[in-house]
Amino acid sequence: MSNGRTEGAERTGWGPGPLYRVRTGELEIAYHVTGPAGGTPVMLLHGWPFSPVGSYAEVVTVLAARGYRCYVPYLRGHGQTRFLRADIVRSGEQAALGADLIAFMDALRIPRALFAGYDWGGRAADVAAALWPDRCTGLVSVNGYLIQNLATAQNPLAPSLEEGFWYFFYFSTERGREGLRRDREGLAREVWRRNSPQWDFTEAEFAETAALWRNPDYVDVVVHSYRHRLGLAPGAPRYAALERRLLDQPKITVPAVTLDGGADGVTPATDGSGYAPHFSGPWAHHVVPGAGHNLPQERPGAFADAVSEADSMGRHRLDR
């Protein structure tokens, strides 16, 4: 179901532009689209607490010029994406994010696409690529293999890493929920500064993104996401079977490019060897100098090149 515009209509340039909507089983998903109508589809998925428009404004300009059809949806709990009924669990768990991507493609009748994302969006892309590999022609994932191993949720990390995840523990308390409800912008500003310490973002960029956090389900979805990954909240029954499959840490078999930001303040860059075993298909890894956690916005050229690389890897595999 659209908002009255034709999804295939072309636009010149990029910006917030027309906002389209499509209904799935649980959501009315808001999204932008740009690039040639017959171009190779690519799903560009944003993280928390960042903006899909801000993250991908420059990326889609590059990709559209290369012939890609770029879809940029708003995740559940963000922007104009809305739950269709009051009785639907406001889940932020990883299986829900991955299933939303496939439902979005189903609603738009897109059989296969490239998946690319970071943070929450990277997790959605990884989950969908692992569980529905026939729908994914190639993957770009910032910070590698992002499927959470809930079986080890109570195993501590090194203190230096735990410190960067301070908001995980904040949101595990009712104090944290209230803190997010009262000051969404203040909390997000701290995340931006800490997770991308070299990113010189503007106040205009921050203000544009802040509008997304006024979504009525934002607090519930965010708090559930972080509590679920720590084993402190049950998942929605609808996704229980998918979550059981994710406990096996399924391999990603599609062509994949992983990126680490050289200046990521929460997830230090690596050579990729720690998560290489999770990728059983063609795989490449790159460290992007100067990039923080919001890599596509901070280094859009590198991110766009990674999408083209994953696409090329997939085409090469088909030609063999």
Side-chain angles (χ1 to χ4, degrees), residues 103-192:
F104 177 67
M105 292 172 61
D106 287 345
L108 295 179
R109 299 181 181 178
I110 299 172
R112 305 183 76 207
L114 292 155
F115 300 166
Y118 68 100
D119 195 78
W120 284 31
R123 182 161 295 108
D126 285 13
V127 168
L131 298 184
W132 294 276
D134 58 317
R135 306 298 298 274
C136 180
T137 58
L139 171 72
V140 176
S141 180
V142 177
N143 299 131
Y145 185 82
L146 296 178
I147 297 175
Q148 299 154 358
N149 187 351
L150 298 183
T152 62
Q154 298 305 315
N155 292 352
L157 301 174
S160 60
L161 295 176
E162 295 280 29
E163 185 273 338
F165 297 135
W166 62 273
Y167 46 91
F168 287 31
F169 309 106
Y170 186 52
F171 293 148
S172 71
T173 68
E174 286 306 298
R175 177 185 175 122
R177 177 192 286 274
E178 182 63 13
L180 180 62
R181 188 190 68 79
R182 289 188 185 186
D183 192 3
R184 304 173 194 204
E185 294 186 18
L187 194 147
R189 189 180 293 274
E190 286 303 308
V191 173
W192 282 32

Side-chain angles (χ1 to χ4, degrees), residues 228-297:
H228 183 266
R229 75 177 63 187
L230 290 179
L232 302 176
R238 178 186 180 102
Y239 301 109
L242 296 179
E243 288 289 357
R244 284 194 294 271
R245 293 175 62 188
L246 295 174
L247 285 173
D248 294 330
Q249 296 284 272
K251 291 184 183 297
I252 291 174
T253 60
V254 304
V257 176
T258 56
L259 302 173
D260 281 349
D264 192 318
V266 65
T267 308
T270 72
D271 63 3
S273 59
Y275 44 73
H278 292 292
F279 296 91
S280 61
W283 171 70
H285 176 75
H286 308 291
V287 175
V288 182
H293 203 63
N294 183 7
L295 193 149
Q297 188 162 357

Side-chain angles (χ1 to χ4, degrees), residues 47-71:
W48 175 87
F50 302 103
S51 159
V53 173
S55 296
Y56 292 114
E58 294 185 49
V59 172
V60 300
T61 299
V62 175
L63 291 178
R66 294 177 183 175
Y68 291 94
R69 182 72 164 172
C70 302
Y71 294 84

Side-chain angles (χ1 to χ4, degrees), residues 6-12 20 34-38 69:
T6 301
E7 186 276 331
E10 297 300 330
R11 292 191 285 125
T12 58
Y20 302 100
T34 194
R69 182 72 164 172

